Amino acid sequence: MNEPLCYPKIEVVTLRCEGLTSASQIETLNPRFSWKLSDTGGTRGRMQKAFELNLWEVDSNGNEMGYSFSSSTVNSSKSQWVLLEGLSIKSRSLYAWKVKIWDEQGLESDWSEIHSFGTGLCGEKWFTPWIGDGRHLRTFETAPARHFRKSFMLEAMPVRARLYLSAMGFVEPWINGSKVTEDLFIPGWPDFRTRVFYCAYDVSHLLESGTNILGIILGDGYYSGTMIPGHQYGVEARFSGFLELIDSAGNKTQISSDDSWKWTDQGPILLNSIYDGETYDASKELRGWCDSNVSDDTGTAWKDVVVSQGLHGDMMHMASTGRIAEPVRRQETILPVSLKKIGDQKFLYDFGQNFAGWVRLKIKAERGNVVRMRFAEILENDEQIHTENLRTAKTTATYIAKGEGIEEWEPLFTYFGFRYVELVGVVEPLVDGLTGIAVYADLEESGYFECSNDLLNKLWSNTLWGQKSNFLEVPTDCPQRDERVGWTGDAQVFAPTALYNMSCGNYLRQWLYSVRDGLRDDPLNGGVPDMAPYTGFFHGSAGWSEALVLVPWAVWQHTGDRKILEENFPAITHLMELMGNEAKDGIRKSPESYGDWLSPGYERGHYPPRYELIATAYYAHAADLTARMADVLEKPKLALHYNYIFEQSRRAFRKAYFKRNGRCVDDFQTSYLLAIGFNLLTDALKQKAVTHLVRTFKQKNKHLATGFLGTPLINSVLTSIGETDLAYDVLLQKSYPGWLFSIMNGATTVWERWDSWTPEHGFHKDGMNSFNHYAYGSVVKWLYDTVAGLKQISEFPGWSHFRIEPKPGGGLTHAKAQVQTPFGRAVSSWEKEGNRFQLTVEIPPNSTAEVVLHVSDPGVVQINGVSLMKYSYANLKQFYAETVIFDLPSGEYSVSV
Ligand code: BGC
């Protein structure tokens, strides 16, 4: 039966170029375009049948200049990663585009809004010199930030002005007294041994005719600042860049970084360091340092810059790469939930949420008054912050007042991971004396989950905060101690969840540049670094190194961006070769690494199961995924080859570690989870191993006994073997070790250890004890895809066709997940009352979904009040073993059982 429907016009929205809503320096002359269709009218089965895309070059005001292109009508349903035939754009330009579509009934949409993007160097070599102040920083040394300036004359105003800026260190660009951007920590954090990033900004609105001043504040950041464990990329921070001006006749001029620039270190930032914090003396503010109206800079000693063309071999030939990841920005303000006086001029603030960023200080104080803030995640007691887990990081912000009324300050080149702030040096704080500022990458928050159990809601929120706190320049392990680096293992286990929570495909793709750049070609113990960008430490650790395979795969699955596979595939096959050298007979033997890191009850270096078992399981799994990638990339020979490797090593794995009765020689949860999760057993052996897996949970009283590598697999593996109830039981344990234990003890983010703090023992005795590590939050994917039931299907990367299969349990009466897929919003929301089950689903236009319900009779299923068997939009595909599967086209539906 058909429902009466009206057909409002479909709208084309959320335009992206190369996957980015804001793309100011894409690195390709063959960009891919994506858009979403928005259907406000409650219609069904809206699909795109054809599209037309128009593109034209623009000046800074959006006026057309030069090139234009029309795709004409293209009969295609493709709305993601669309390549255009015959498009011819050039580097260092600015373009605008719009698109319209025809739906399945031939109805034409209006034109979309206009979206613009810029092109970067697109393969051209970086050509401007690098300038700095020539200072060399020793390891662990901290120093003032430096100000640079350059004045230039403009006779006529350009029609387009773009600033291209690269740095080894952090920069904050200014023009004529205004900040160019709100982006933070730019131009980013690559593996500086081989690559630098650059950003481009349109700055024409900041220019004036006559004298102009270009200013740069330069900090040490990740480059010359020291990162764990005493790692420094280079001793001398510097930057390079050019302002490119185009006049109405198309003539180009450039204002470049060269020897005409001046610098000073007499500015207010006396110390800048990621780990140690920042010291700011407001009385040293350089008034008018970048103001064209204040031409007199004589009060400050401006010196000549040091110009370098070559270092690191030849810096001019380092790969200059336009960043593709969304930049870090201030994202949220967080107000304190309590303020307590804990001593003379000493106060304790509680922000109620652990997060990464800093505070905005507001004070009224005498000139020279020193205010000091220390940041901590947790308290020792009511008045004492816990700083032991920061290890050597000083995490201190110091402000020296200028004594001019109300003063406000935020640090620039540092950040902290904290919930509490100890403020010293203020007699009486102002009402809004401190405001928390959460900073993280500017990613769309694309996922939402809620259910009838508040502890699970808190787990979801704690995990999201873990992501916000650790998705700064690169995905890090933690935001507080002297670490905050891109541990590959952590990112690998968390990526599938991260992609649900936030649209982070490009973000992870950019991080993978560093994973690849760090690949070390060593026949023994080669592979990708355990931390990317490389920051010292080892290479090739099992479960860490394979991030190079697992993360591209996860991104591909979620976004449908094929380029992430193409781009990483050569490095992946290289890595497989290196691992293959250590696995001649299928068993991967290389030096021990982290194992099932931090599994409860074991000392470091002794986490079971044995190292080779983990390494082999990961090796086999990586081979399996590599084979599947080869398939996608249409490389059948390589697909065969890696399939062979997969088979060889899974056979060796079974032989070495599994007895005929399905018991593993290392009888631990993680052994079975890896074996089943990575499909390493035969069906018959799996049947037997399942009993052992279940037993290992029962022996622990339905508690987990896993570390970083076993934990992410628990719930999905238990569900896959029909033990969903057990999965719920393990998840819902409130006692140690389990996910809810930290929540019962007040956690607002996910802890690094199951016992980071316990009522019996207090803080874990090891100083390596973060309260904001996302690795264990990897279970959140299961909340989305199983509890609420919104699941991506492997054969349909990018959510063009997905599954809705909720698995109620754990006493929940309601659960809901909402995900912004590349096609638009998908929703699965269910409610249970007695034996009535009500499911509300939303499938975005131009995509379809299959609904899987576990019922004994399809006859009991109704959609929008009509029996499933009669509902014309539903296509009943299968009914077997109390499972009914039917397809639905786009639209909103209410399904009841
Ligand atoms: C980090 C981890 C990382 C681990 C590897 C720790 O110090 O914080 O999250 O994966 O080391 O050993």
Side-chain angles (χ1 to χ4, degrees), residues 549-570:
V549 188
L550 274 79
V551 176
W553 183 254
V555 175
W556 153 248
Q557 290 286 289
H558 207 90
T559 64
D561 178 5
R562 189 184 148 105
K563 201 184 251 178
I564 199 157
L565 299 187
E566 289 165 357
E567 195 166 72
N568 286 288
F569 195 72

Side-chain angles (χ1 to χ4, degrees), residues 477 481 483 487 490 544 594 597 708 752 768 773:
D477 56 335
R481 66 175 176 235
E483 207 156 342
W487 282 100
D490 306 38
W544 272 249
Y594 311 112
W597 186 244
F708 275 32
E752 177 172 24
M768 190 193 79
H773 248 64

Side-chain angles (χ1 to χ4, degrees), residues 462-471 474-479 485-495 497-498 507-508 511 708 749-752 770-779:
N462 286 5
T463 302
L464 182 63
W465 272 106
Q467 182 166 359
K468 290 175 175 180
S469 316
N470 282 296
F471 272 37
V474 302
T476 57
D477 56 335
C478 60
V485 290
W487 282 100
T488 45
D490 306 38
Q492 173 270 109
V493 295
F494 189 63
T497 293
Y507 178 85
L508 291 171
W511 175 66
F708 275 32
T749 39
V750 178
W751 295 352
E752 177 172 24
S770 138
F771 291 85
N772 202 351
H773 248 64
Y774 50 49
Y776 291 149
S778 49
V779 69

Side-chain angles (χ1 to χ4, degrees), residues 572-731:
I572 289 171
T573 52
H574 190 162
L575 172 69
M576 288 308 299
E577 219 176 280
L578 291 171
M579 291 200 284
N581 290 332
E582 299 169 347
K584 294 275 184 249
D585 55 358
I587 298 291
R588 185 170 169 228
K589 309 173 199 71
S590 77
E592 280 196 17
S593 53
Y594 311 112
D596 191 17
W597 186 244
L598 303 188
S599 67
Y602 297 91
E603 290 300 318
R604 209 186 275 199
H606 299 280
Y607 306 115
R610 74 189 67 182
Y611 171 71
E612 280 176 8
L613 184 154
I614 295 178
T616 303
Y618 259 94
Y619 173 58
H621 184 48
D624 181 20
L625 294 185
T626 309
R628 291 200 237 170
M629 286 183 209
D631 249 343
V632 176
L633 298 175
E634 294 158 72
K635 299 178 189 295
K637 274 198 194 137
L638 284 177
L640 267 181
H641 171 69
Y642 287 108
N643 250 323
Y644 170 79
I645 293 194
F646 174 49
E647 287 304 335
Q648 180 206 29
S649 74
R650 75 198 274 262
R651 210 178 310 120
F653 177 90
R654 286 194 299 267
K655 206 165 146 230
Y657 307 121
F658 273 76
K659 301 191 187 134
R660 283 223 187 110
N661 64 4
R663 190 182 166 108
C664 182
V665 293
D666 284 354
D667 184 42
F668 299 100
Q669 291 172 4
T670 295
S671 315
Y672 298 104
L673 291 168
L674 291 169
I676 298 170
F678 292 168
N679 186 22
L680 306 180
L681 306 180
T682 58
D683 284 349
L685 194 59
K686 181 174 151 188
Q687 292 304 324
K688 295 177 189 161
V690 157
T691 350
H692 291 286
L693 172 61
V694 172
R695 174 182 48 76
T696 56
F697 278 98
K698 296 214 166 133
Q699 279 169 344
K700 298 272 176 196
N701 221 353
K702 300 192 184 173
H703 281 74
L704 54 79
T706 50
F708 275 32
L709 301 184
T711 304
L713 296 169
I714 297 176
N715 288 58
S716 56
V717 167
L718 289 177
T719 303
S720 75
I721 59 171
E723 290 287 347
T724 307
D725 287 343
L726 178 57
Y728 271 106
D729 289 346
V730 177
L731 175 66

Side-chain angles (χ1 to χ4, degrees), residues 147 262-266 286 297-304:
H147 286 62
K262 303 280 181 208
W263 74 276
T264 179
D265 60 1
Q266 300 304 301
L286 299 171
D297 54 20
T298 45
T300 312
W302 290 92
K303 302 180 209 159
D304 289 340

